[in-house]
Structure formats: structure tokens, C-alpha cells
DNA sequence: GTTCTGATCTAGAACGTTCTAGTAACTAGA
DNA sequence: TCTAGTTACTAGAACGTTCTAGATCAGAAC
């Protein structure tokens, strides 16, 4: 009864609707929408006008179905890891200028890596970027056989054929932490270990090697823990019972280190006066003014950028064998380390 | 030249490939894949076998394109908010039994709410679940005109037509916090405020009302801050210069409260002996053994469940006007509150 | 006046599914 | 033997795009 209804009620407008309204073919509308060449300026404007009027919005699924390329990078990440969420932020920033979109799939309680990856594959991602994957090497190899896969922050030894790796030199990071503490005068340096977490083995090894090189072999002490605040807190509780305390602690990561810090503060052990603490990652946690943690900085934007680059290179036909980017970490000295008290 | 290649190299297998291999029609394969009825047990097994052999995986996009329903719930969340990531975990858990999938879209630096929502719409989500949206009411109204939209943890006054709301009774939560502190004997209770963050206005109001009801009007003191650890730390620094200190602090949320805690510990102000601290949210941050924060618990699984329910009800034809679920929070007493020292 | 060239536009076939409408082959009741 | 009702299956048209292969028409070159 009224004039022209803006939208045919209930159905979202399609290319055909726009085409009808502008009096052109759907193919032409498609051209205009993609900003492809093959339409005159005048028609282009007319089509855009029509699209605006009926509130047309391209259907990403139909678009991806038809075009060979999906230009979609699937990212698997741990919802509760600040280091991962920082990385995701970097991935968004890196993917856009390369002309790719990011599809997120979270690993959470009740949703394992298997499920997360399944959903990315079903969504037709062209490549996968896995943050700190825990899956067995065989599974990663199988995936890498199907599409380009980049593992971020997890080293694989022996290397998995076809799998791209972007990681920080964890052993070197641990070395820097130990060197820093030794330079301050510490000898009794404990490592709170990440267990089976990605990177943990290398950090442990780096710690051992550095201690040995400083002639501190008999001071090597490794406390098994994990990657969460609670793991760090547990280890710190065990430590604070010791007399005398070690004078310094190198924690597996920042989450772990904040757990350590808090227990020490509560136990009346002053940081850094009584004991120094070093973290790992330089996630935004460490940068917070009230934590202000000395930590081994992973260059998060760089890691993100390289991960995207590797994926994209693969997709754009790079046939060279899969490789590895190893980023040198850089110690960020803040206020949780100082010379040991006499 | 060899026998049957497992996969026709480079292309992912489709229904037609499975059909050819099993010697049936694509329609039948579709039936088997969807676990629909209309296939005998024998054929079913034969088809599944063929699918397994060539590594067939359904194409989610083609599937969604064809079926009227996408059964996809779009979720917008803040990458760096533990409260949001906790909620997302709950949403995954709630969506699955209802037969819906979750599509995530993060708000991050350089990726605003507008962008996040655009991508969810292009992906054909049937409904949107927005966690703590900051968008203006007019924008939310516009969206709600297009599809079912649920706002979680943000109240809208006046209510936006068509917009579903699921939230905690923030004023009531603030009241509980004040009541608890007053019952312990506190009178000098400061509120560290969330500014323009969703929920902040109600918490502020609840604090004021409760203080008035206890006859503590002249003790009302509100420190402007925000929703991050740093905001809390800044406010705490300001406070710790005061002599005498207030005896209790009610922080806008848990992130803010951890900032407060840490500054106090560093300044040698004992919690809870010298001063009590209450947070808000009961995100996993608060539950960590080494923080062990008394906090106003938002029932996160319940909020998630209700958000999904509201979206689903809308999608399954519920025509009643949009409504609001207001969940009563429950104070979780842990170790950061105690009677004031004499 | 032809033929070419380039720009603008269109018809119609993909893409990989699901859905509708049917066919074929049984069983069962009369 | 005939009809009716199942059950198992299939052909072919959707879904909303993009892509291929032209069609049409101007102007330029000969």
C-alpha cells in the first residue's frame, strides 16, 4: 500500500535487489561492490545509491563460497592468556594491511584445541596460526599437510615438516635474565619452571646453561610449577618457607611471576630488597605501573607480524621449505630486581 | 597412474566426491552427514567410510548459505577484559546445548565496536550478543531493528526498543558491599569509581544510597577512576597519601581492585588489617589464591546462559517485547575484608 | 565504409551445500 | 490383484555471490 518498502521485510537484501532498484545486472552490482573496474562513474554512483537506500550488505559466506580464495586466517588462542590476547591484537593489526581477515577460535574450558581447529577448518580458513599449541607433533604434521600452519611461541624438535614456526629464543631470554641477576650480584637464583608449557623446556635449558657458565652449577634449583598465577603462588609459598631464601627468582612467565610477587609481599618478603623477581613475556600485565615487573620481553607485535607474513607467503605461492623465525628477546628492567641485600 | 588418489590434490573434497566414491547421490551423502533420517544403516556406514577415506569435511559456509538458518550467534567482547573472557567461556558452554555456534569478534586497539559488529553481520550471524557495549543507544537501537540484539552487563536508560538486556543489579551489588563493610564496623568507606564504564553509574548510585541509609552521608567519597588496574592504582596512590586513611575501599571492579591492592601492599598499608578492599565481578582474577579478593560476585555462567536464552527465544519466534534480566549479585567474602583496626 | 580497440555492460554457469518433490521398491491389508 | 503406506533413494532447483565469455556501442584508424 505505501510507496517502496525499504526492505522486503524479514529477508536481507541481496545483489539482485540492488540490481533491480538500480536497473542493472547483478554482475554489475558485484563489480561496483568489489570496487573492481568495469563500471562507469555514473552507474557506480547510481548503484551505490541504491545499495545504501535498501541497506544492502554483502554476504560474506556467499562471497567466500564463490571465490576461490577466502583470504581468511584462522587463529587459535587461549582465552585466559594475556600473552595470547596481546598477540591476537597484533595479528589483527598485521593481517589488515596484507588484505586478510582474522577468524578467531578460542581454547577454553570444555573446548579443546581439537574443537577450536575443527571450527576454523570448517570455516574455510586458508591458513592456521596457532598460539602456543599443545597438540602433539603428529597432529600438527597432519594439519600442515592440509594447509599452511604457523606455530607461534612453540618450538618443535625435531622440526615438523611443513610447519612454520615463529618464536622467541627462549633459551637466550633465560640467559639474559640470569646474566642480569648475576651482574647485580646474585648467586642463589631459582627457576620456577613452566612444566610442559610451550617454551618451558628451552627456558629451563637456558637457565641451566647460563648458571653453569657463571660457575654457579651448585646453585641451580628448579621448582616445578606451570603457567598460571596459582602455579607461581604455590611455588613461592614453598620458597618462602626456606631459610635462608634464595636471593632471586626467575619465573616461567609474567602470570607466574605475579603469583610469586603477591605471595612474597604477603609473607613480608620485600621485592626487590629481600629478593628479586624476573618474569617472561612482557605481556601488558608486566607493564602495569603497580606490578612494574622486570621481565624478558617478547616482541609481541613483531611475532604477530612474522606469523602473518609466513602464512601469507605460503598462500601466495612461496614454495621454499617451511622455516623458522627466532626472535631475540630483550630484557626489560623494571623495579622488581636489585642487588641482593648483604 | 596409481590407484585411487586419496584427495584430488589441492582441492578439498566435496559432497560430490564422497557420493561418487560411495556410489550414491550427493543428496544422500548430505543426509548422512547431517545425521538426518532417510538412509539405511548399511548405506550410512558405506558413506561414512567413503568420507573418512578421502578426508571429507563439510564446508560450513556453503552449508550456511543454503540453509535458511545460520544458527550462529555473534559475540562482541573486549580482548583484554578477564570478565569478558570469562563470559565468552560461559557463552560457548550455553550455546552448544541450544544447538547454536558462537562467532567471536574482538574489540581491541585499532578495532572498534563498529568494525567488530560489521564483521559479525557480514558473517550472517542471526543474533548479536554484545558484552559491555559502549556504543551510543541510537546505534544499538538501529542494530536491534535489524536482528535480535542482547546487551550484557550494560543497562540502558531509557530502554532501547527491541534491545534485550541481561545484567547484574549493580546498585544492589554496591549495596551488599557497603552493608558488609558497615556490618564489620567500617564507616569511612571510599568508592573508586568506574567513570563511563558500563555499570559504573549504577554502582555509584548504589553506594550513595547505601551510605545514606546507614547514616554515613558525610563519609561519602567518590574517587574518579576507570576499569583497568592502572586506574585503580592511580586512585590508591592518591588515597595512601591521606592521613588518616579511610578504613575501607569499594572498587569499581576486580581489575581496579587488584591495582589498589598492589599499591597498598607496596606502601606498607596492610590489607585487610589497615584497610579493607572489595572488588566487583568475581572474575577468575579475584579467585586466585594469592589475590583472594572479597568481591561482589556476578553470576557469570548465569549471565551467559540468559544471554543465549534471550537470543534463542527471539530467533525461535518469541514475539513478546524485548525484556531485561536483572541478576541479583552475591557478595563473596574472601580475605581482603575485616573489621577496622581500633 | 570497414575493421579494430576499449570501455561498459549482461547472461548464465559455477561454488558446495540443503531442500522440495518426486520415483522405486517393498510390505501389508482388502 | 489392487491400493495404500513405508522406507530408501535421486534429480534438480535453490542460496547469494563471483567469474567467464560474450554482446553492444562508441570512437579511432585505415
Amino acid at each position: 500500500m505505501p510507496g517502496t518498502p525499504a526492505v522486503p521485510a524479514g529477508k536481507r537484501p541481496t545483489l539482485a535487489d540492488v540490481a533491480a532498484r538500480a536497473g542493472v545486472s547483478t554482475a554489475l552490482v558485484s563489480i561496483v561492490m568489489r570496487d573492481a573496474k568495469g563500471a562507469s562513474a555514473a552507474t557506480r554512483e547510481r548503484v551505490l545509491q541504491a545499495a545504501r537506500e535498501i541497506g544492502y550488505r554483502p554476504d560474506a559466506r556467499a562471497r567466500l563460497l564463490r571465490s576461490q580464495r577466502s583470504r581468511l586466517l584462522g587463529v587459535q588462542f587461549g582465552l585466559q592468556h594475556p600473552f595470547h590476547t596481546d598477540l591476537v591484537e597484533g595479528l589483527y593489526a598485521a593481517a589488515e594491511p596484507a588484505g586478510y581477515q582474522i577468524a578467531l577460535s578460542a581454547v577454553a574450558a570444555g573446548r579443546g584445541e581439537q574443537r577450536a581447529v575443527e571450527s576454523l577448518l570448517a570455516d574455510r580458513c586458508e591458513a592456521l596460526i596457532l598460539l602456543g599449541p599443545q597438540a602433539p607433533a603428529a597432529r600438527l604434521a597432519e594439519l600442515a599437510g592440509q594447509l599452511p600452519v604457523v606455530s607461534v611461541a612453540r618450538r618443535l624438535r625435531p622440526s615438523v615438516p611443513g610447519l612454520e614456526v615463529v618464536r622467541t629464543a627462549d633459551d637466550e631470554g633465560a640467559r639474559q635474565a640470569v646474566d642480569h641477576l648475576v651482574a647485580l650480584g646474585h648467586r642463589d637464583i631459582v627457576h620456577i619452571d613452566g612444566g610442559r608449557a610451550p617454551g618451558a623446556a628451552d627456558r629451563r635449558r637456558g637457565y641451566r646453561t647460563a648458571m653453569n657458565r657463571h660457575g654457579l652449577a651448585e646453585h641451580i634449583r628448579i621448582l616445578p610449577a606451570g603457567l598460571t598465577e596459582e602455579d607461581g603462588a604455590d611455588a613461592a609459598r614453598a620458597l618462602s618457607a626456606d631459610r635462608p631464601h634464595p636471593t632471586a627468582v626467575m619465573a616461567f612467565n609474567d602470570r607466574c611471576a605475579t603469583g610469586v610477587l603477591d605471595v612474597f609481599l604477603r609473607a613480608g618478603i620485600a621485592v626487590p630488597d629481600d629478593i628479586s623477581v624476573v618474569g617472561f613475556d612482557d605481556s601488558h600485565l608486566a607493564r602495569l605501573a603497580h606490578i612494574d615487573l622486570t621481565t624478558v620481553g617478547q616482541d609481541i607485535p613483531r611475532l604477530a607480524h612474522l606469523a602473518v607474513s609466513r602464512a601469507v607467503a605460503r598462500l601466495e605461492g612461496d614454495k621454499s621449505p617451511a622455516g623458522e623465525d627466532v626472535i631475540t628477546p630483550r630484557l626489560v628492567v623494571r623495579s622488581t630486581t636489585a642487588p641482593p641485600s648483604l
Side-chain angles (χ1 to χ4, degrees), chain A:
Chain A
M1 210 167 297
T4 321
V7 181
K11 288 189 56 67
R12 78 190 247 168
T14 77
L15 272 190
D17 298 326
V18 179
R21 186 163 242 255
V24 295
S25 70
T26 61
L28 187 54
V29 179
S30 171
I31 286 171
V32 172
M33 287 307 157
R34 279 173 292 141
D35 235 347
K37 61 181 172 184
S40 69
T43 352
R44 205 173 280 274
E45 187 41 53
R46 195 152 44 89
V47 167
L48 287 174
Q49 175 63 26
R52 235 175 289 127
E53 280 167 18
I54 64 177
Y56 170 75
R57 187 189 306 279
D59 182 325
R61 302 188 177 256
R63 169 174 283 181
L64 294 182
L65 173 58
R66 171 58 221 199
S67 39
Q68 282 315 335
R69 305 285 316 270
S70 78
R71 305 196 77 85
L72 214 49
L73 303 178
V75 173
Q76 173 201 288
F77 73 109
L79 256 183
Q80 306 291 11
H81 288 302
F83 177 54
H84 287 193
T85 51
D86 285 0
L87 270 169
V88 169
E89 212 156 332
L91 291 171
Y92 272 122
E96 177 156 12
Y100 285 79
Q101 304 247 351
I102 295 289
L104 291 183
S105 188
V107 172
R111 191 168 195 270
E113 293 193 5
Q114 183 84 22
R115 289 276 305 280
V117 165
E118 289 293 342
S119 102
L120 292 175
L121 290 177
D123 277 351
R124 290 214 132 196
C125 292
E126 295 189 69
L128 296 182
I129 296 179
L130 310 177
L131 307 190
Q134 311 251 15
R139 167 70 178 147
L140 295 177
E142 182 194 335
L143 282 174
Q146 297 173 37
L147 77 174
V149 179
V150 184
S151 161
V152 179
R154 172 171 173 200
R155 175 182 207 174
L156 283 135
R157 274 201 309 182
S159 71
V160 171
L163 184 73
E164 308 277 350
V165 173
V166 174
R167 63 178 181 94
T168 294
D170 289 298
D171 47 358
E172 163 67 11
R175 186 187 68 68
Q176 289 184 16
V178 171
D179 285 358
H180 167 64
L181 291 169
V182 169
L184 286 172
H186 294 274
R187 298 171 56 80
D188 207 350
I189 303 169
V190 171
H191 177 43
I192 296 185
D193 181 60
R196 311 182 60 78
D202 281 357
R203 293 179 199 176
R204 199 183 309 133
R205 195 163 46 75
Y207 162 79
R208 269 216 185 82
T209 312
M211 290 295 277
N212 280 327
R213 215 189 25 241
H214 287 293
L216 298 173
E218 74 276 19
H219 288 94
I220 289 178
R221 181 160 168 218
I222 297 174
L223 256 63
L227 38 66
T228 69
E229 290 87 351
E230 279 177 298
D231 293 320
D234 288 345
R237 264 187 286 270
L239 268 186
S240 51
D242 284 12
R243 290 293 179 279
H245 306 308
T247 65
V249 167
M250 174 198 147
F252 167 67
N253 66 5
D254 291 344
R255 287 183 76 183
C256 185
T258 57
V260 170
L261 282 181
D262 218 280
V263 166
F264 282 174
L265 285 168
R266 261 159 224 267
I269 303 174
V271 173
D273 299 330
D274 297 335
I275 196 165
S276 289
V277 175
V278 182
F280 208 114
D281 285 351
D282 198 21
S283 64
H284 70 285
L285 209 60
R287 286 172 229 151
L288 294 172
H290 68 287
I291 293 189
D292 203 36
L293 178 71
T294 294
T295 187
V296 178
Q298 302 207 52
D299 189 340
I300 294 179
R302 182 110 187 277
L303 289 171
H305 178 79
L306 287 169
V308 169
S309 297
R310 286 213 166 256
V312 169
R314 257 317 152 87
L315 291 174
E316 323 232 299
D318 182 351
K319 289 295 177 203
S320 60
E324 188 175 32
D325 285 314
V326 183
I327 306 308
T328 305
R330 216 169 53 79
L331 188 77
V332 181
V333 178
R334 296 205 181 87
S335 69
T336 57
T337 49
S341 49
L342 302 176

